[in-house]
Amino acid sequence: MVSTELLVQSIINGLLLGGIYVTVGVGFALVFGVLEIIDFAVGEYVMLGAFTGAIVAPILGGEGLFVVPIAFVVFFLVGVAVQPFIHHVTTGDRPMPLLMGLVFTFGLATFLRGSVLTIFGPNTRNVPTKALSGGIDVTGIGVFPEIRVVTAIVGVLSLVAFMYYLYRTTGGTAIRAIAEDRDIAGLMGVNINRYQSIAYGVYAGLTATGGVFIGLIYAAGPGMGLQYTAFAFFMIVLAGLGYLPGIIVSGVVLGLVQSLTSIYLGGDVVFFALFGLIYLLLLVRPEGLLGKGEVA
């Protein structure tokens, strides 16, 4: 018999997980829309963010939360530096720009993962926190770690701030114009290179920030990136290609599927359940759960 208390705990844990996945998915979806690439390096930015937390937090008195703004700024600058190379391989007279972008980001992901393995070795590292080491007791349901609750809140707030920038500022309007039609945006005077750099920088910064929180919840390991790359693909397909608000729904669904599958079927079948769900979705609703994305 299924325990009601365990079921409620699993659902709440899934919702909390979904909050942080939203942070990773929204940047990935933005880059897909603005740069027209599928970035295989997304999971490695998560991994690098987690490692940044593990390395820098002890220097800052053992508090991983202090690393969050640092990670955002550092990886924003990294993203701004990397974007011109992506632009170079996906524009001009080169054939199959989408494939060129895939190959470039796959090589970047391999380089980043190999570099971390070489420098730090294969072992995982914890990201310490003193401020959020306790739990929140919900009477009749259970105790939920503070770090998971705060992580979910930060994930949702990050998405709200990002959507405000995208829909209420001049820079956000320019980025959306590029996502709609790069050529027409250029004819209207939008500086394509500048705003693509900003978009990729924000994406890298948000994703690394998510990595710090994921490191706080679990740990930092050089092999963790592949898992989050797969999760990012899952979210943009479920949300509907090019439909950013759908990332909220897809992040929550991802968290729930992961939590419930792990509890009732085992952690080994999580990916089987996720990609089975994607397969069914592509068959019956290829434009995403909300029906507002491009056909996958």
Side-chain angles (χ1 to χ4, degrees), residues 16 30 49 120 162 235 238 244 248 283-284 287:
L16 297 178
L30 176 71
F120 299 107
F162 180 67
M235 280 189 281
L238 202 65
L244 278 177
I248 299 175
L283 287 178
V284 301
E287 66 275 17

Side-chain angles (χ1 to χ4, degrees), residues 11-235:
I11 291 174
I12 293 176
N13 277 324
L15 293 174
L16 297 178
L17 275 176
I20 194 59
Y21 291 154
V22 165
T23 307
V24 177
V26 71
F28 187 69
L30 176 71
V31 166
F32 176 78
V34 175
L35 274 71
E36 298 178 354
I37 62 165
I38 298 173
D39 192 348
F40 267 106
V42 57
E44 307 313 324
Y45 286 128
V46 173
M47 180 268 292
L48 288 175
F51 262 90
T52 302
I55 294 166
V56 178
I59 301 172
L60 300 177
E63 183 50 68
L65 292 178
F66 294 158
V67 185
V68 172
I70 298 173
F72 181 82
V73 172
V74 168
F75 283 94
F76 174 83
L77 296 175
V78 169
V80 169
V82 169
Q83 187 278 329
F85 295 100
I86 296 176
H87 180 77
H88 179 73
V89 300
T90 57
T91 57
D93 296 330
R94 293 170 183 80
M96 297 183 287
L98 181 61
L99 181 60
M100 293 294 286
L102 275 173
V103 172
F104 178 84
T105 57
F106 181 79
L108 177 63
T110 305
F111 171 77
L112 294 175
R113 186 166 55 253
S115 299
V116 171
L117 266 171
T118 302
I119 297 171
F120 299 107
N123 297 327
T124 58
R125 297 178 178 223
N126 292 322
V127 182
T129 178
K130 296 175 182 174
L132 299 175
S133 58
I136 298 174
D137 189 358
V138 180
T139 306
I141 297 179
V143 179
F144 298 93
E146 291 176 348
I147 184 59
R148 288 203 179 203
V149 176
V150 171
T151 295
I153 293 172
V154 170
V156 173
L157 290 179
S158 298
L159 177 64
V160 170
F162 180 67
M163 297 299 285
Y164 179 85
Y165 171 75
L166 209 56
Y167 287 91
R168 291 287 186 269
T169 67
T170 303
T173 302
I175 289 174
R176 286 190 293 118
I178 295 170
E180 288 290 328
D181 193 309
R182 187 186 304 186
D183 294 332
I184 292 178
L187 290 173
M188 295 295 290
V190 174
N191 188 328
I192 303 293
N193 289 338
R194 177 187 176 192
Y195 284 107
Q196 283 187 333
S197 292
I198 291 174
Y200 197 83
V202 170
Y203 148 71
L206 275 177
T207 307
T209 300
V212 176
F213 281 105
I214 289 170
L216 283 164
I217 294 174
Y218 301 113
M224 65 189 289
L226 288 175
Q227 173 183 342
Y228 293 100
T229 298
F231 284 174
F233 275 97
F234 175 88
M235 280 189 281

